[in-house]
Amino acid sequence: MSLIKDIYSISFYQQLADQFSGIKPDFDGKQFIKRIFSTNFNDLEWKERTKHSTQTLHEFMPPDFEEAVELINQVVKNFIATGHSAGLEYIIFPDYIETYGIDHFELAVQSFELVTTFITCEFAVRPFIIKYRERMIAVMEKWAESPHTAVRRLASEGIRPRLPWAMAIPFLKQDPAPILPILNLLKNDVSESVRRSVANNLNDISKDHPVILLDIARHWKGISRDTDAIIKHASRTLLKRGHPDILHYYGLDATDFKITDLYIETPVVKIGGQVSFSFQIENAQPQPKALRLEYGLYYQKSNGLLSRKVFKISERIYQGSEINRIQRNQSFKVITTRKFYTGRHKISIIVNGEETLMTDFELI
């Protein structure tokens, strides 16, 4: 299985060199590729290769940012015109604008608007939001009304308070009010990718300001199926936390559901294996009731304490007197995003945000 860093291949750099030298004949493509691989390239990880590529490209570009960014714009236009698909490796284009264009506001934002139609600029715009604040946010409000889907998505995705893998924007985490006009413009967007970005942005906001999401949910409720879907996806963190107001909003309460016979089928689990468990759930009332069913897995931490992660099982209407036995497996396969620690772990069953039965097992 190839690694993400391997997207930076010799064929990718050759294609870049051909593009730039085709526009600017004195662009030394051979030396560019030689410089890319002249260091400890094989030892560099993905982000390091990205930055190395950006810096090396800069060595072969005109020193004047206006000339350099126009070259990038022309290469992007050529790729778009020929129907070339952008892989993640082309993130070096927005990275170049972010790195060398931070003091050239107008030129940079004009290029972002073009480049993001080829490769997303959601990471690169964030230093501009931090440095220019209201000025950059005003640009993103205009982007929210762009005819191009990718530009409208950038308006929402780039300004997310907690965008994964990206630079934080502390002033927007503290007060997300400047974001809300942008999301309001996009709430009925024709593109699912844009609406999903709006939902992810609202989910980010809810982690620090649940009242804001709840207020928006009440105002947007019933506008359309799409806005209802945005709110549902945006509510996922509050639902996992069992926030009482969002549970009430969706008519979820644990009353009359009975959880019995929680059974760990694998009381001892090896790292690399999986824990298997089952339990019975019953709607004890004759009338149908909404049920959001989850389980919590309490992982051992390095300090011996436990940390809960919530996993969704299902969400649907349970008919009156309906009884089901639920069986689930949870993997402990070694992954790069989580380190497992041996010792006692716990599993709990969560019914409409309320934790019910709990039992434990041993990870060895």
Side-chain angles (χ1 to χ4, degrees):
M1 183 176 178
S2 61
L3 302 174
I4 188 172
K5 68 180 184 178
D6 294 333
I7 60 176
Y8 290 111
S9 63
I10 181 66
S11 61
F12 165 69
Y13 292 113
Q14 185 63 62
Q15 190 171 53
L16 271 191
D18 291 344
Q19 282 291 324
F20 280 104
S21 59
I23 300 167
K24 191 174 187 296
D26 61 351
F27 183 94
D28 194 336
K30 289 184 179 180
Q31 282 300 314
F32 167 68
I33 294 173
K34 184 178 179 180
R35 277 283 296 115
I36 286 285
F37 293 103
S38 64
T39 59
N40 57 333
F41 184 85
N42 291 334
D43 297 330
L44 299 178
E45 295 303 322
W46 169 53
K47 286 190 174 183
E48 294 171 322
R49 289 188 182 187
T50 299
K51 190 55 66 177
H52 169 64
S53 300
T54 301
Q55 293 169 345
T56 304
L57 179 61
H58 182 60
E59 295 176 20
F60 292 82
M61 295 287 269
D64 179 68
F65 180 74
E66 183 173 3
E67 293 182 43
V69 80
E70 182 53 38
L71 268 178
I72 289 174
N73 291 345
Q74 190 57 58
V75 168
V76 168
K77 289 176 183 177
N78 288 349
F79 278 138
I80 294 172
T82 57
H84 184 79
S85 297
L88 185 59
E89 58 270 34
Y90 290 97
I91 204 77
I92 67 170
F93 289 161
D95 188 61
Y96 190 101
I97 303 166
E98 171 191 344
T99 304
Y100 302 107
I102 192 66
D103 295 325
H104 304 271
F105 181 83
E106 293 293 344
L107 290 170
V109 297
Q110 289 170 18
S111 187
F112 282 143
E113 188 170 356
L114 168 66
V115 172
T116 204
T117 65
F118 178 67
I119 178 69
T120 181
C121 294
E122 64 199 60
F123 304 109
V125 297
R126 298 172 77 80
F128 288 77
I129 297 171
I130 291 172
K131 180 170 182 175
Y132 296 101
R133 294 205 177 197
E134 292 85 358
R135 190 179 177 191
M136 188 64 196
I137 292 170
V139 168
M140 299 181 83
E141 284 190 35
K142 291 180 180 177
W143 286 347
E145 298 182 280
S146 168
H148 201 293
T149 299
V151 178
R152 298 196 307 275
R153 182 184 177 276
L154 177 61
S156 171
E157 197 71 6
I159 206 169
R160 283 178 58 180
R162 292 173 171 267
L163 181 64
W165 303 99
M167 174 187 296
I169 307 180
F171 80 93
L172 290 178
K173 288 172 67 175
Q174 183 177 357
D175 179 13
I179 303 173
L180 303 184
I182 292 174
L183 303 187
N184 193 58
L185 286 169
L186 298 171
K187 67 178 182 293
N188 287 312
D189 199 274
V190 295
S191 167
E192 183 180 356
S193 68
V194 175
R195 297 194 305 271
R196 193 167 187 85
S197 177
V198 171
N200 288 334
N201 200 317
L202 287 171
N203 183 59
D204 285 359
I205 291 171
S206 76
K207 295 174 182 179
D208 302 298
H209 306 276
V211 173
I212 291 178
L213 174 59
L214 290 162
D215 184 59
I216 289 175
R218 296 185 188 101
H219 282 87
W220 289 8
K221 185 176 184 179
I223 292 176
S224 69
R225 292 178 61 184
D226 290 335
T227 52
D228 288 343
I230 286 173
I231 293 303
K232 188 60 180 290
H233 192 57
S235 301
R236 62 191 186 274
T237 294
L238 295 187
L239 285 167
K240 283 186 176 183
R241 290 177 179 176
H243 193 285
D245 289 339
I246 203 68
L247 293 173
H248 178 74
Y249 178 87
Y250 284 110
L252 299 171
D253 71 87
T255 307
D256 301 322
F257 281 104
K258 293 183 179 180
I259 304 294
T260 56
D261 193 24
L262 173 56
Y263 176 65
I264 301 288
E265 298 165 17
T266 52
V268 179
V269 180
K270 292 182 178 180
I271 292 178
Q274 64 180 16
V275 60
S276 298
F277 64 97
S278 61
F279 60 94
Q280 181 169 292
I281 181 164
E282 175 186 1
N283 178 5
Q285 288 296 308
Q287 67 269 18
K289 293 195 68 173
L291 173 66
R292 180 183 174 90
L293 190 59
E294 302 164 299
Y295 65 92
L297 199 155
Y298 287 80
Y299 290 96
Q300 276 279 356
K301 297 169 64 177
S302 59
N303 60 7
L305 299 177
L306 296 176
S307 174
R308 189 182 79 167
K309 182 173 175 59
V310 175
F311 298 88
K312 185 177 178 181
I313 297 175
S314 63
E315 184 170 353
R316 65 178 180 87
I317 299 297
Y318 258 57
Q319 299 304 313
S321 304
E322 181 176 349
I323 301 174
N324 281 302
R325 182 149 198 94
I326 308 295
Q327 197 279 333
R328 282 293 183 273
N329 302 313
Q330 179 63 45
S331 175
F332 281 87
K333 180 181 178 180
V334 176
I335 54 178
T336 57
T337 54
R338 178 178 292 275
K339 181 174 176 60
F340 298 122
Y341 296 93
T342 57
R344 303 304 294 179
H345 289 56
K346 294 180 182 292
I347 284 179
S348 66
I349 308 303
I350 304 168
V351 177
N352 289 346
E354 182 175 312
E355 203 160 42
T356 59
L357 297 185
M358 181 182 293
T359 190
D360 59 12
F361 63 95
E362 186 82 14
L363 184 68
I364 60 173

